[in-house]
Amino acid sequence: FTSAVSYNAMLCIYYACAIAFRMNERIIHKRVEPILHFIAIAAGLVFAVLPLFYELYNPSNSTYAWCGMVTYPSECYLWGDVPCIRGNAEMLIRFSFI
């Protein structure tokens, strides 16, 4: 999802360079595109790999995914007597707003 949003922004910047700034295609391909590709790919990798270090990817009990950024056991932060083994709820909330 993050890479898709980044590439959408990259496409907007590309069209701004080509139409509004009237940059030559060679300059765009040599100077602008590599930077934009790096930013889009790096953003996608960071937001996909960072939750691994906080153990946020766990089995999900939802019908649309087998795993996701959930606590284990599921919704353990709602129950007072069940400790959360993986996926700190505070970290889940922080990542959900990124």
Side-chain angles (χ1 to χ4, degrees), residues 3 40-51:
S3 291
I41 292 170
L45 285 174
V46 165
F47 289 118
V49 173
L50 204 56

Side-chain angles (χ1 to χ4, degrees), residues 18-88:
I19 297 170
F21 301 132
R22 297 178 189 229
M23 291 177 73
N24 190 354
E25 284 291 322
R26 287 186 182 170
I27 294 173
I28 293 173
H29 290 300
K30 286 180 88 174
R31 295 187 181 160
V32 178
E33 276 189 27
I35 295 169
L36 295 176
H37 281 296
F38 174 76
I39 291 170
I41 292 170
L45 285 174
V46 165
F47 289 118
V49 173
L50 204 56
L52 287 173
F53 297 111
Y54 292 104
E55 297 181 334
L56 291 180
Y57 291 128
N58 294 305
S60 175
N61 61 353
S62 66
T63 58
Y64 60 90
W66 289 327
C67 64
M69 289 178 44
V70 294
T71 57
Y72 183 78
S74 183
E75 299 178 353
C76 61
Y77 57 91
L78 297 176
W79 310 327
D81 56 343
V82 177
C84 291
I85 299 171
R86 291 175 46 101
N88 188 355

